[in-house]
Amino acid sequence: MLAKWGAAALVAGVLAVAQPTAQPSPPPGPTPGQPSLDFPVPPSGEPSTEPSGEPGTGPGAPPSQIVPRSVNLALRVEPDGRLSVTEQVFVHGVAGMTRHAALRIRAGDRDRVFTIDDLAIDGNGSAETTDDELILRLREGVTTVKYTVDGAVGDVGGHQQVRWQLASGWDVDLRQVRASFAAPSPPENVVCRAGRQGSDTPCESAITDHGQVLRVVQPDLPAGERVDLQVTLPGGTVGANARFDEVARPSAFAITPVSGIGLGVLALVLVGGFGLLWLARGRDTRATATDIGSVEPLVEEGGRVAFASPDGVLPGEVGTVIDEHVDVADVTATVVDLAVRNYLAVRRTAAGWTLVRRNPADAALTGYETAVHTALFRDGPEVALAGLRVDLAPVREDLYASMVRHGWFTRRPDRERTRWTVAGALLALVGAVTTVVLALTVGHALLGLAVVAGGLGLTVGARLMPARTARGSVLVQQVRGLRGFLRGDLAAVPAADREMVLSRSLPYAVVLGESTRWLAHLAGLERVYWFEGDLAAFPEFLRELDAAFAASGQLR
């Protein structure tokens, strides 16, 4: 009998040795009403790769749910409002994975603040928290991280909202994010968003199962993007612990990167614009700054000496070429020139100064000279300076037009100034409105002020916009030389030609401010043909004529 039992024992022992060791079985599925990681950890704790055949086949193959760079989470809201979180991360590759999860999330004009407690890690890596981040540094293998979140539950309009970002701040693309969420009461509403911060893209799947456990699935999440879960529970389900910090908004007029770039661009535009303007005006600046000698305007014709202006410029045009404005002095000099050329005479009577028409306007007069002649003698052959009112608008228009017609300016200087002044004013107005709008909305109001400054700069620079042509700049130099002639000695002028030379050059002396010196030369003459009175009273005539034209209000 003993021999038989001994033999049986020996056979059993041999069979026991030959029998393969049993494989560990996966843990049972999730208990209803409880969150779970939804898949077991591989038996060896080592990272696994899928075999070449069907997933999950072959001896020792891991469950099919485990894929490289996957994150599984189990979340549960505790009665006191804390959120218990278990994260299981499958890291594949020696480079590892790192997560910087923000613990401050913008919520309107405030920051929602979360706190991490009871942080523990089981696996190949490290975990830590700072005031603003949860930081995970994981290496190859499957690692489980557990922690609780304080600040996830808030009371909102008779309900409670639980918010936590299931995945955020990972430095690699995640192939799969899965999460299960359970709370003491079933969810009333679920909002799950995936993608960049602030995006409204819904998660791939967020479904509550028969056990009232919410299960979320999000495949293919790019590095740096987030899965943001917000679950609404009935009011009073758990303790509320949400915390918010008011965000100190910078002053609307603070220097920010955006406003700094805008100010830099404005500075470049202003510097570049004024640089181009300086180049355009450089010829004019050199023309007025260059020291130039006296210009000799006297010419001999048939044995007689006559006066000839540079480039044929008329007295009324001289002032406009120099200062780019039609002034009262330009029209006054034109009246004197018309008297010298025998189109009118200046007479002094007991009642005051009177202009007398001698010849009608003809083809020898330019457009603006004809306009002056017509304005003076519109009501008869004689006009008294006392109470004289004339329409000088046609004079101004024709005189500006003659600047372009003669090729001294590329464009009418008055219209060019007006165009740029209006553009600058409109730009400043747009900048002012933009400043107000930005200050009341997104900030960066300095951008609006930059536009205002640009508009004001354009308005100031508008006075310099009209650039003379090369011919105009040469004429400016010649006119300056003409002033030297007017200040010189006329001893070389023959006596027979003195009256004509002095008279023809007097209008130029008037417009260039040299009339007093020039009248000293005329005082040696007994009389002049165009002035009926004592030449000593000529300055008085000029003052009253200037006053009469200034009273029109059309010239400065």
Side-chain angles (χ1 to χ4, degrees):
M1 176 67 68
L2 291 173
K4 290 182 179 180
W5 281 109
L10 179 61
V11 171
V14 171
L15 292 174
V17 172
Q19 181 68 30
T21 303
Q23 297 296 318
S25 60
T31 303
Q34 296 293 326
S36 69
L37 293 175
D38 204 32
F39 64 87
V41 181
S44 64
E46 297 291 335
S48 61
T49 57
E50 294 186 4
S52 58
E54 291 295 325
T57 62
S64 60
Q65 294 95 332
I66 297 183
V67 293
R69 298 196 307 277
S70 66
V71 179
N72 279 28
L73 301 96
L75 302 92
R76 179 175 181 80
V77 182
E78 306 296 343
D80 60 1
R82 293 187 302 162
L83 181 65
S84 297
V85 182
T86 300
E87 291 193 33
Q88 189 180 66
V89 186
F90 178 22
V91 181
H92 181 61
V94 295
M97 294 169 57
T98 301
R99 181 187 185 191
H100 289 265
L103 299 181
R104 283 179 172 268
I105 301 175
R106 180 59 60 90
D109 292 336
R110 300 182 296 173
D111 277 349
R112 186 162 183 174
V113 182
F114 301 90
T115 302
I116 299 296
D117 296 313
D118 305 324
L119 180 60
I121 186 169
D122 181 14
N124 191 12
S126 63
E128 63 176 312
T129 60
T130 67
D131 291 339
D132 298 323
E133 287 184 325
L134 165 64
I135 303 173
L136 305 180
R137 296 183 178 89
L138 310 180
R139 292 179 291 279
E140 191 169 21
V142 176
T143 300
T144 301
V145 182
K146 295 183 179 182
Y147 53 88
T148 58
V149 181
D150 189 41
V153 181
D155 291 326
V156 180
H159 303 271
Q160 289 189 317
Q161 286 186 348
V162 184
R163 183 181 182 186
W164 181 244
Q165 292 192 345
L166 307 178
S168 62
W170 287 105
D171 64 346
V172 297
D173 297 345
L174 298 181
R175 292 180 57 185
Q176 182 173 264
V177 177
R178 291 188 177 189
S180 60
F181 173 94
S185 298
E188 292 183 339
N189 186 47
V190 176
V191 177
C192 184
R193 299 182 177 91
R196 296 179 181 275
Q197 296 288 348
S199 70
D200 292 328
T201 305
C203 298
E204 179 79 10
S205 174
I207 301 174
T208 302
D209 63 18
H210 65 280
Q212 302 303 320
V213 175
L214 173 66
R215 302 194 182 275
V216 176
V217 177
Q218 178 61 45
D220 301 323
L221 185 71
E225 297 191 359
R226 91 320 186 195
V227 176
D228 196 333
L229 179 64
Q230 182 173 288
V231 180
T232 301
L233 303 176
T237 299
V238 296
N241 52 19
R243 299 193 308 277
F244 297 88
D245 279 351
E246 296 294 333
V247 178
R249 293 185 60 187
S251 168
F253 295 93
I255 296 180
T256 64
V258 174
S259 60
I261 292 173
L263 292 174
V265 171
L266 170 69
L268 290 177
V269 170
L270 288 178
V271 171
F274 278 100
L276 292 175
L277 184 59
W278 179 82
L279 291 175
R281 300 290 300 197
R283 185 193 304 115
D284 294 342
T285 303
R286 290 189 296 272
T288 56
T290 302
D291 188 17
I292 186 170
S294 175
V295 171
E296 183 56 58
L298 301 180
V299 295
E300 289 191 15
E301 295 180 352
R304 305 294 299 270
V305 175
F307 175 85
S309 64
D311 203 12
V313 65
L314 295 171
E317 296 168 335
V318 167
T320 307
V321 167
I322 292 177
D323 62 15
E324 303 176 358
H325 289 274
V326 176
D327 303 325
V328 167
D330 303 333
V331 183
T332 297
T334 299
V335 171
V336 175
D337 190 46
L338 290 176
V340 170
R341 291 157 64 189
N342 213 30
Y343 285 96
L344 61 87
V346 180
R347 178 181 300 165
R348 187 174 189 181
T349 65
W353 294 99
T354 301
L355 300 178
V356 181
R357 183 176 65 195
R358 284 186 173 173
N359 289 293
D362 55 25
L365 298 182
T366 63
Y368 83 88
E369 289 175 321
T370 300
V372 172
H373 192 281
T374 301
L376 291 175
F377 302 112
R378 178 184 54 195
D379 299 324
E382 295 187 7
V383 57
L385 291 190
L388 175 65
R389 293 295 182 270
V390 293
D391 181 12
L392 296 179
V395 177
R396 184 182 63 247
E397 292 298 308
D398 283 320
L399 192 47
Y400 276 130
S402 71
M403 299 294 102
V404 179
R405 190 166 51 249
H406 285 297
W408 297 324
F409 286 90
T410 56
R411 296 170 298 276
R412 283 184 52 160
D414 61 326
R415 292 180 180 174
E416 193 71 6
R417 284 191 299 269
T418 300
R419 181 181 299 111
W420 285 103
T421 299
V422 170
L426 290 177
L427 186 61
L429 178 61
V430 170
V433 173
T434 302
T435 301
V436 174
V437 172
L438 291 177
L440 297 178
T441 55
V442 298
H444 311 303
L446 282 180
L447 290 177
L449 291 182
V451 176
V452 173
L456 294 178
L458 187 59
T459 302
V460 172
R463 297 181 303 168
L464 305 175
M465 287 298 178
R468 298 181 186 88
T469 63
R471 180 177 177 179
S473 296
V474 170
L475 179 59
V476 170
Q477 290 181 306
Q478 292 174 332
V479 168
R480 292 180 62 220
L482 180 60
R483 180 182 278 117
F485 164 77
L486 296 173
R487 294 174 178 175
D489 185 10
L490 296 180
V493 178
D497 300 324
R498 185 177 294 271
E499 179 182 1
M500 182 60 65
V501 169
L502 292 176
S503 296
R504 291 301 302 271
S505 53
L506 177 61
Y508 296 89
V510 170
V511 77
L512 292 174
E514 301 293 337
S515 59
T516 301
R517 182 189 301 272
W518 205 244
L519 284 172
H521 295 298
L522 282 170
L525 303 176
E526 294 182 0
R527 57 179 298 278
V528 291
Y529 62 92
W530 51 270
F531 191 82
E532 300 177 7
D534 186 358
L535 281 174
F538 185 74
E540 177 189 339
F541 164 72
L542 292 179
R543 287 193 296 272
E544 292 196 18
L545 189 58
D546 284 344
F549 288 147
S552 70
Q554 296 166 322
L555 301 176
R556 67 177 188 179

